[in-house]
């Protein structure tokens, strides 16, 4: 059983909603959260957060925007743990 469609939808929605504040340096954030059986997101947090809180907040808001997701197996008892990456590249 594949959750590929769930991850693809999450990525699509995240791209629509992620509007980080402009920075002079590139950075990489890792968001950790779980998708509950109703498709809601729980326990959203940033692993090794950026020093600027508005950067972390932008990532969390992008994740929250993506909820809820339609889960292929709504009878699943355990949440689906997700690690999601945000990259900000200055050229």
């Amino acid at each position: 059983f594949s959750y590929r469609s769930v991850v693809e939808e999450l990525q699509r929605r995240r791209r629509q909603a992620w509007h980080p504040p402009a920075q002079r340096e590139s950075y990489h954030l890792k968001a950790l959260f779980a998708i509950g059986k109703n498709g809601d997101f729980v326990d959203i947090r940033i692993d090794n957060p950026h020093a600027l809180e508005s950067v972390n907040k932008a990532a969390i808001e992008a994740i929250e925007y993506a909820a809820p997701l339609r889960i292929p197996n709504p009878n699943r008892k355990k949440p689906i743990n997700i690690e999601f990456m945000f990259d900000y590249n200055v050229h």
Side-chain angles (χ1 to χ4, degrees), residues 18-73:
W18 191 43
H19 305 290
Q23 297 293 303
R24 293 179 185 210
E25 296 178 2
S26 298
Y27 61 84
H28 177 80
L29 293 177
K30 179 169 61 171
L32 306 169
F33 60 99
I35 303 174
K37 67 179 184 176
N38 296 331
D40 55 327
F41 299 163
V42 295
D43 196 25
I44 302 170
R45 63 195 183 283
I46 303 297
D47 186 43
N48 196 15
H50 192 279
L52 187 60
E53 185 55 35
S54 60
V55 169
N56 303 317
K57 183 178 178 189
I60 290 171
E61 287 174 350
I63 293 168
E64 290 172 340
Y65 174 84
L69 289 177
R70 197 175 122 242
I71 302 299
N73 182 4

